[in-house]
Amino acid sequence: AQKITQTQPGMFVQEKEAVTLDCTYDTSDPSYGLFWYKQPSSGEMIFLIYQGSYDQQNATEGRYSLNFQKARKSANLVISASQLGDSAMYFCAMSQLTFGSGTQLTVLP
Amino acid sequence: NAGVMQNPRHLVRRRGQEARLRCSPMKGHSHVYWYRQLPEEGLKFMVYLQKENIIDESGMPKERFSAEFPKEGPSILRIQQVVRGDSAAYFCASSPQVGANVLTFGAGSRLTVL
């Protein structure tokens, strides 16, 4: 069975600062993928970044990077230079099937 | 090049009625996933379908819920005899092939059961 844990129900960050959203996971599968999605107040789910379990390097997509520590089973999302539009719910997910409970990020002006 | 289209966006039903939610995947995508999101919670996987096949329905409630993805037309999630606990947002996502890394989500259908 797979499990995703997001321990931060809410986070605040000052505009232009960096923020890290935590995600830990548990799985017995030898190969898996980790995803982060953004859900703004309008409700749609927006794909942000993907990390494969065998990828040698941490994934990056613009201001998003994934701090993947396989031994610790963590896949934290780092958002650099936060913008007001980054305020949203952020979900960590594994292999399309298992989602965490989310972290509500609020960017302060 | 439309994305994943879900309709209706909002649906209100009374207890005991049926709800039908439709999902048209992105052009070229033949795999569809359905998820349910209860208020203040994350997404829960329900079912994964390929055209004319249910691949994984491990997240579907055993009763009242069914899903199909016919050869022609959208995928349909059907909830019979709805109860208040079925009130949720139902998201559909599609991918071009099995094992694809990225899903494209629809905007969701919000079901309210009175």
Side-chain angles (χ1 to χ4, degrees):
Chain A
Q2 298 177 338
K3 186 177 180 181
I4 293 283
T5 302
Q6 294 180 254
T7 57
Q8 306 154 314
M11 287 281 287
F12 292 87
V13 64
Q14 208 69 39
E15 193 178 7
K16 300 180 185 176
E17 297 291 313
V19 64
T20 298
L21 306 183
D22 293 342
C23 172
T24 58
Y25 63 90
D26 193 19
T27 182
S28 56
D29 295 332
S31 177
Y32 49 89
L34 294 154
F35 304 77
W36 277 92
Y37 292 89
K38 172 184 178 181
Q39 186 178 42
S41 57
S42 50
E44 70 269 31
M45 293 288 289
I46 303 167
F47 166 77
L48 295 178
I49 196 167
Y50 166 80
Q51 178 84 44
S53 60
Y54 287 109
D55 292 344
Q56 295 296 317
Q57 292 187 318
N58 286 346
T60 60
E61 288 286 347
R63 294 187 299 110
Y64 304 109
S65 60
L66 203 152
N67 184 3
F68 181 47
Q69 298 188 44
K70 196 170 182 178
R72 295 185 176 183
K73 294 189 174 181
S74 73
N76 298 339
L77 176 70
V78 180
I79 305 175
S80 62
S82 297
Q83 301 172 357
L84 295 177
D86 294 336
S87 293
M89 279 289 283
Y90 288 81
F91 292 99
C92 179
M94 174 178 282
S95 302
Q96 325 284 26
L97 301 184
T98 306
F99 282 69
S101 55
T103 295
Q104 177 70 50
L105 176 68
T106 302
V107 180
L108 303 171
Chain B
N1 187 18
V4 178
M5 304 301 293
Q6 288 190 249
N7 66 82
R9 291 293 311 276
H10 300 275
L11 181 64
V12 178
R13 285 288 178 266
R14 296 190 182 279
R15 280 179 297 172
Q17 291 184 318
E18 179 180 285
R20 285 193 180 216
L21 309 177
R22 290 177 290 277
C23 170
S24 296
M26 274 191 75
K27 188 176 180 180
H29 286 194
S30 58
H31 296 257
V32 165
Y33 299 74
W34 284 95
Y35 301 85
R36 176 165 63 177
Q37 185 179 32
L38 296 171
E40 311 298 324
E41 294 188 12
L43 273 69
K44 302 294 186 190
F45 166 76
M46 298 181 76
V47 63
Y48 164 38
L49 309 103
Q50 195 179 1
K51 278 196 181 286
E52 299 186 282
N53 274 317
I54 296 175
I55 308 298
D56 182 349
E57 56 181 349
S58 58
M60 285 281 272
K62 298 296 181 205
E63 298 178 347
R64 303 188 298 108
F65 285 72
S66 62
E68 63 176 5
F69 189 14
K71 186 176 180 180
E72 301 291 338
S75 175
I76 295 175
L77 180 67
R78 182 183 179 204
I79 312 171
Q80 295 178 288
Q81 300 174 341
V82 296
V83 300
R84 290 220 173 107
D86 297 333
S87 295
Y90 292 84
F91 285 92
C92 167
S94 72
S95 69
Q97 67 224 11
V98 63
N101 291 338
V102 180
L103 296 179
T104 303
F105 277 82
S109 291
R110 278 151 184 83
L111 172 66
T112 302
V113 180
L114 301 177

